[in-house]
Amino acid sequence: MDHHMAGPFLGNLAIILASGTITIGCFVAMFWMLIRPGETDRQHPKYRILRDDF
């Protein structure tokens, strides 16, 4: 018995794949920016936060 609000299987699959791809892409971007941020300016505010003197 189908639920009356359920869409077609291919439509549901497309939405699941699209949202899953976006989510995985966000996680990949997050880890990429954590590992290799690319910021080399020593006056950048992150260096005040990440100082080793604390």
Side-chain angles (χ1 to χ4, degrees), residues 1-30:
M1 178 175 217
D2 289 333
H3 198 278
H4 73 283
M5 293 296 287
F9 176 72
L10 290 179
N12 288 338
L13 185 62
I15 291 171
I16 291 168
L17 288 175
S19 61
T21 302
I22 291 169
T23 302
I24 290 171
C26 289
F27 275 101
V28 168
M30 175 190 68

Side-chain angles (χ1 to χ4, degrees), residues 24-45:
I24 290 171
C26 289
F27 275 101
V28 168
M30 175 190 68
F31 285 116
W32 183 263
M33 290 178 201
L34 282 173
I35 294 170
R36 298 187 55 97
E39 179 61 53
T40 58
D41 181 17
R42 296 304 293 175
Q43 299 301 320
H44 194 274

